[in-house]
Amino acid sequence: MQTQGGAAVHGGTPAREDTARYDAPTLEAKWRARWAATEPAAGVRLPLPGRRKHYALTMFPYPSGDLHIGHWYAMVPADAHARYRRMQGDDVIFPIGFDAFGLPAENAAIRRGVHPLRWTMDNMQRMRGQLRSMGASFDWSREVVTCDPEYYRWNQWLFLRLLERGLAYRKHAPVDFCPQCNTTVAREQVIGPERLCERCDTPVVRRDLEQWFLAITRYAEELLDFSHLDWPDRVITMQRNWIGRSEGLQFSFEVRDRPGLSFEVFTTRADTIYGVSFCVLAPEHPLVTTLTTPACREEVASYQEQAARRSEIDRLSADRERTGVFCGAHAVHPLTGAPVPIWIGDYVLASYGTGAIMAVPAHDERDFDFATRHGLPIPVVISADGSEPRTPREPYTGDGIMVHSGPYSGLGSAEGRLAVTREMERTGRGRGQVNYRLRDWLISRQRYWGTPIPVVYCPHCGTLPVPEGELPVLLPPDAEFVPTGRSPLTLHAGFLHTRCPNCHGPVTRETDTMDTFFDSSWYQYRYLSPHYAAGPFDPAQARAWLPVDVYTGGVEHATMHLLYTRFFTKAMRDMGLTDQDEPMPRLFNQGVILGENSEKMSKSRGNVVNPDDLTVRYGADAVRVYLMFIGPWEAGGPWNPQGMEGAVRFLQRVWRLVSWAAGTQGGPDPAGTALRRRLHQTVRTVGEDLERFSFNTAIAALMSLVNEASQYRDAGGEDRELWREVASCVTRMLAPLAPHLAEECWELLGGERSVHEAPWPAIDEGLLSEEALTLVVQVDGRVRDRVAVPAGAGPAEQQAAALGSPRVAAALAGATPGRVVVVPGRLVNIVTRR
């Protein structure tokens, strides 16, 4: 017996009649044992000649120790699609691995008093068995484990390449810090208005630290090009908003009576520049101390201290009052020369834009609130219709006609923005500029369980990369990984101290480790050649298999993993490592499985569903079918135990039908034409649905076909050739969805090799069109009959057929039809004059 992609070979068992109940747990174990015994040996290969390659990928799991039902919901449909593509003749790879570094492993290890490596490895071993139990066709020979030095060596190698190109850099910066996890977290990992750590729900605080960053902002404009991506609109919108492109004017305000001193602001509303009545600097702005006059110093310092205790979300909240203090200095308006008071306000953030704003209170809500609170002027410079404006009771934030704006008065807003920008550029006082909300990616983590950053610090030679020949820089197995707010690696002398690669004097290593999103930003490349030693991946394999054809996973990764992996592919392209512009052109997101009460599953709510228990009780195929039938995959839905029973009944009906079909010996039966037509229509429908990840409708079509076939059987239909065709096609259509049962049915039918190596059923195009239509006939809204008409019958013929029905005539009982509504091909509704 041989296999490919989890497909076992049969010995051609003779057909037999077997109406016994299908014992799912026993027979599924049989097939999993066969698949395991015939998995391909470790190694890589190029696509088979004459076959189209298909790289299917689902997001790899974190080794938490147990697969939950959400893992099944994400992975089972992805497996079904991969199996379908294989039956369509594609040469499919569908790899799997583990995203094994990160805080959860370290925190769990701390709680349990066990080393993170042991905890992680034990969990992976358990999860491998669970992943096999779902019947997925994963290619285990391509497994990657990100905490293995064989993998993270290439994390370090890629970091050094990014460093060479100036895409990795270190700077002193205010960062978000989780006091519970005792590490920095990226902006993307701070959740909600309460600014909670996404890992542990602890409020984060701000700290100033030396940190390593990746310059993702250099690719901001290219990351806004989604023209080559077939991705959900929701993900594209989230990434577009996260990158946050805005066009405007950046210019300097000179400080009055302070030659050479100035600060920059950025505005998207250059048409409102004549309405500037004050400027506001963030409390953390580097010029605050310099600008503050002695008389204001104490008040400003106190305000800075108060602002430091507030979160950015709190400072930006629309519900809180705009507080601030005057610093005693004035700027000079760049067009009018008028003095402009400089205030310090915490609704301006040093981390966003330039850390300073021009305040136009008549045309900005925040500035209006601030000016009203502090009694500052509110000059109107934009009129909705060009009329003379009055003192506003609220800000007007739309476009309009410029007024009280010197030579630009009378211009429309769009024209005025362009004219002011050109004048500022002509005089050298400003420039048109594109800004982005996106910030560079903070990758430093002060924890043990991650990839060491391959850098050393020499007192004589400065910051130096670790030589490539010394990679990987290994995590010391005996480090103390209890969190202290500093990296545990700072406490390990053997790791910390080494020799300078330049002068050979004593140096210290970088003790931060990398954000684990670094690991998952390129793992799809390593799958192609997981043991390749000459580079992060084999270029020949990359040319043959890339890009990933279909990627599946959760929408929650839209602004982190899915953005980072796009950045990595573009950076690697510019390094000459790949010729791809995008990592995965086609993406599908699954929804979320909720508890029976439609709430998120959690142990505290007591609504967690254990897939291991379900597999033992019902079998993996029933769990697979239920999850794919629950509703549209992208929508998710609440768990319903009754749905599991329905899935079991359906699979048992398939088994009984195939068992019966395998033993029938009847001759040709002209009455079977309708069933054969329905069979070929279903093959087309199921194939189209599987291709577009519409699993629930594919299963519904199969259920309908099985019902119709059962009715034909119950009516005495025993056409042996028809039944062999029905059983063969149903088994093959079921194979991607319920792979174990399909193997058993295929063996029962005497199929050669494995059903998963069998081709998808061919469609007879001549059988796809209906010869007749069945119309539902209603009288006053109640169904009275169903009548058949030729497929080409028009509305008049359909109405005549309905009115000619004896059952309809009896229902009318002599009443005259007042109105007849014909829904062509579906329904005739007769409304009487009673």
Side-chain angles (χ1 to χ4, degrees):
M1 185 167 65
Q2 301 172 346
T3 187
Q4 181 182 338
V9 175
H10 300 294
T13 303
R16 57 183 170 82
E17 182 174 355
D18 186 354
T19 57
R21 183 175 178 84
Y22 178 74
D23 181 3
T26 300
L27 292 174
E28 288 180 357
K30 159 189 159 182
W31 287 109
R32 284 197 293 273
R34 289 196 189 182
W35 295 338
T38 55
E39 283 179 352
V44 297
R45 61 177 178 83
L46 297 174
L48 298 173
R51 294 176 66 181
R52 181 175 59 180
K53 73 94 179 174
H54 184 85
Y55 187 174
L57 185 62
T58 191
M59 294 180 185
F60 60 173
Y62 177 77
S64 58
D66 279 295
L67 288 184
H68 53 71
I69 203 67
H71 287 111
W72 277 64
Y73 192 61
M75 293 179 177
V76 161
D79 173 65
H81 188 268
R83 288 183 180 278
Y84 168 72
R85 292 309 318 169
R86 193 175 289 115
M87 296 180 76
Q88 285 287 347
D90 290 357
D91 189 1
V92 176
I93 58 170
F94 185 41
I96 192 65
F98 292 96
D99 191 9
F101 268 143
L103 286 176
E106 192 167 340
N107 289 342
I110 292 168
R111 289 193 300 270
R112 292 167 172 80
V114 62
H115 196 280
L117 178 62
R118 178 182 170 187
W119 187 84
T120 300
M121 292 300 174
D122 288 348
N123 287 349
M124 286 192 298
Q125 190 58 30
R126 173 172 170 77
M127 292 176 70
R128 288 186 184 104
Q130 292 177 313
L131 287 165
R132 292 179 188 277
S133 75
M134 68 172 60
S137 56
F138 293 127
D139 184 349
W140 288 98
S141 72
R142 297 179 181 272
E143 182 189 61
V144 299
V145 176
T146 60
C147 68
D148 188 327
E150 187 179 34
Y151 185 90
Y152 73 72
R153 169 192 179 185
W154 298 108
N155 275 352
Q156 295 172 343
W157 187 90
L158 287 167
F159 175 87
L160 295 180
R161 302 291 83 75
L162 292 166
L163 186 63
E164 287 174 359
R165 298 184 68 85
L167 291 171
Y169 65 93
R170 189 172 185 246
K171 72 172 183 178
H172 196 77
V175 294
D176 292 311
F177 189 90
C178 174
Q180 175 66 32
C181 297
N182 265 315
T183 189
T184 56
V185 290
R187 186 165 63 104
E188 298 87 340
Q189 296 166 307
V190 179
I191 307 302
E194 296 83 12
R195 288 177 45 79
L196 303 179
C197 170
E198 72 164 359
R199 295 292 192 186
C200 67
D201 291 334
T202 299
V204 302
V205 297
R206 300 289 283 177
R207 284 193 181 178
D208 289 335
L209 297 171
E210 287 286 342
Q211 303 288 294
W212 282 96
F213 293 83
L214 299 185
I216 189 174
T217 52
R218 293 196 196 173
Y219 288 85
E221 195 65 33
E222 189 177 355
L223 289 167
L224 284 169
D225 180 4
F226 302 100
S227 60
H228 301 294
L229 295 180
D230 181 11
W231 284 20
D233 290 341
R234 182 183 177 190
V235 173
I236 290 175
T237 298
M238 291 172 73
Q239 288 201 0
R240 182 179 289 118
N241 291 341
W242 188 258
I243 295 168
R245 185 183 194 274
S246 58
E247 296 184 12
L249 169 68
Q250 186 149 324
F251 65 97
S252 294
F253 276 102
E254 295 181 357
V255 180
R256 189 181 183 188
D257 300 327
R258 303 289 294 274
L261 195 60
S262 66
F263 58 90
E264 288 200 324
V265 299
F266 173 82
T267 179
T268 60
R269 293 296 305 270
D271 55 321
T272 67
I273 194 169
Y274 280 83
V276 173
S277 62
F278 58 98
C279 291
V280 184
L281 272 59
E284 306 84 5
H285 195 288
L287 287 182
V288 169
T289 301
T290 303
L291 292 176
T292 303
T293 62
C296 299
R297 190 158 294 150
E298 184 177 346
E299 187 178 14
V300 168
S302 175
Y303 185 80
Q304 287 179 302
E305 186 178 336
Q306 294 174 29
R309 292 197 293 266
R310 296 192 179 101
S311 71
E312 288 187 359
I313 296 297
D314 179 43
R315 287 167 59 174
L316 293 176
S317 172
D319 299 327
R320 66 182 296 267
E321 291 183 336
R322 312 298 173 196
T323 63
V325 293
F326 178 50
C327 76
H330 289 77
V332 179
H333 194 289
L335 295 182
T336 68
V340 179
I342 302 173
W343 285 69
I344 313 301
D346 66 1
Y347 75 98
V348 179
L349 303 178
S351 61
Y352 189 78
T354 65
I357 65 164
M358 67 172 213
V360 186
H363 307 292
D364 181 273
E365 291 179 359
R366 297 185 307 163
D367 298 344
F368 183 87
D369 291 344
F370 191 94
T372 301
R373 176 178 174 82
H374 297 286
L376 297 169
I378 306 177
V380 177
V381 293
I382 300 292
S383 170
D385 56 7
S387 61
E388 183 64 24
R390 299 179 180 178
T391 302
R393 295 182 178 178
E394 59 183 21
Y396 174 69
T397 60
D399 281 359
I401 305 299
M402 295 178 69
V403 296
H404 302 302
S405 297
Y408 307 101
S409 295
L411 295 181
S413 286
E415 186 181 0
R417 284 192 285 271
L418 182 60
V420 170
T421 300
R422 284 176 174 170
E423 174 62 16
M424 297 287 276
E425 288 178 331
R426 186 187 69 81
T427 59
R429 288 176 288 186
R431 62 192 181 279
Q433 183 158 308
V434 175
N435 275 5
Y436 301 92
R437 180 178 180 269
L438 181 68
R439 294 291 173 264
D440 280 344
W441 174 11
L442 167 64
I443 65 164
S444 289
R445 298 293 181 270
Q446 292 74 46
R447 294 297 289 257
Y448 168 77
W449 195 233
T451 299
I453 295 176
V455 166
V456 296
Y457 302 104
C458 177
H460 305 292
C461 305
T463 302
L464 296 172
V466 172
E468 186 176 329
E470 296 181 14
L471 301 181
V473 176
L474 295 171
L475 280 174
D478 56 344
E480 289 290 336
F481 51 86
V482 176
T484 63
R486 299 166 60 202
S487 169
L489 297 176
T490 63
L491 306 177
H492 192 285
F495 176 87
L496 182 63
H497 301 291
T498 186
R499 289 286 171 181
C500 176
N502 212 19
C503 70
H504 307 295
V507 297
T508 56
R509 292 190 187 277
E510 170 61 68
T511 56
D512 285 355
T513 53
M514 295 183 195
D515 180 8
T516 54
F517 279 115
F518 196 108
D519 309 358
S520 58
S521 292
W522 68 281
Y523 75 117
Q524 69 270 23
Y525 293 88
R526 190 63 181 172
Y527 274 142
L528 302 178
S529 45
H531 306 294
Y532 188 67
F537 53 88
D538 183 343
Q541 294 291 325
R543 286 191 295 270
W545 289 108
L546 293 176
V548 172
D549 292 283
V550 174
Y551 195 37
T552 58
V555 72
E556 67 272 14
H557 297 291
T559 58
M560 289 184 284
H561 163 60
L562 290 171
L563 190 63
Y564 296 155
T565 192
R566 293 183 64 213
F567 159 61
F568 253 68
T569 288
K570 296 173 190 301
M572 290 165 66
R573 175 204 61 201
D574 292 347
M575 296 175 195
L577 297 175
T578 180
D579 60 358
Q580 302 296 316
D581 293 321
E582 295 287 356
M584 52 275 301
R586 195 178 182 202
L587 170 71
F588 285 86
N589 296 132
Q590 80 275 359
V592 177
I593 291 293
L594 304 172
E596 290 182 57
N597 53 6
S598 295
E599 293 183 347
K600 184 178 179 180
M601 287 189 184
S602 71
K603 291 180 180 179
S604 62
R605 293 191 178 101
N607 61 355
V608 173
V609 175
N610 187 336
D612 291 354
D613 296 342
L614 295 172
T615 302
V616 171
R617 181 177 178 183
Y618 299 109
D621 283 348
V623 182
R624 289 171 63 105
V625 167
Y626 170 68
L627 288 173
M628 287 186 276
F629 190 57
I630 198 171
W633 191 42
E634 66 276 12
W639 181 264
N640 181 356
Q642 287 70 42
M644 279 300 309
E645 299 290 347
V648 171
R649 288 194 298 271
F650 166 62
L651 295 178
Q652 291 291 346
R653 292 190 72 187
V654 170
W655 172 245
R656 289 194 298 270
L657 192 69
V658 172
S659 299
W660 187 87
T664 189
Q665 298 295 325
D669 179 10
T673 302
L675 177 58
R676 180 172 276 113
R677 176 176 291 106
R678 180 63 60 203
L679 172 65
H680 284 262
Q681 292 172 339
T682 304
V683 171
R684 178 184 62 180
T685 297
V686 171
E688 291 174 347
D689 286 348
L690 291 180
E691 182 58 40
R692 59 192 178 94
F693 285 75
S694 185
F695 303 102
N696 61 318
T697 54
I699 293 171
L702 267 174
M703 288 178 171
S704 179
L705 174 65
V706 170
N707 288 341
E708 191 165 331
S710 299
Q711 292 168 5
Y712 174 69
R713 177 196 60 192
D714 296 344
E718 294 197 18
D719 184 331
R720 181 179 185 277
E721 292 303 316
L722 172 58
W723 276 116
R724 295 289 292 179
E725 183 181 3
V726 169
S728 173
C729 289
V730 167
T731 297
R732 284 180 282 167
M733 285 189 285
L734 189 68
L737 307 166
H740 307 87
L741 175 58
E743 287 278 39
E744 190 70 16
C745 289
W746 195 245
E747 183 177 68
L748 177 63
L749 294 170
E752 293 295 326
R753 298 178 65 80
S754 165
V755 68
H756 301 295
E757 293 184 4
W760 189 254
I763 299 172
D764 185 338
E765 297 289 339
L767 290 172
L768 294 180
S769 59
E770 295 278 4
E771 292 183 353
L773 300 173
T774 300
L775 304 174
V776 175
V777 184
Q778 296 177 335
V779 176
D780 292 330
R782 298 185 63 184
V783 176
R784 295 299 186 180
D785 199 6
R786 288 177 172 81
V787 298
V789 297
E797 296 169 278
Q798 294 177 35
Q799 177 177 323
L803 293 172
S805 162
R807 291 183 179 178
V808 170
L812 288 171
T816 302
R819 185 164 57 96
V820 179
V821 179
V822 178
V823 180
R826 295 173 54 194
L827 172 73
V828 177
N829 186 27
I830 302 166
V831 183
T832 66
R833 293 177 176 172
R834 294 173 182 169

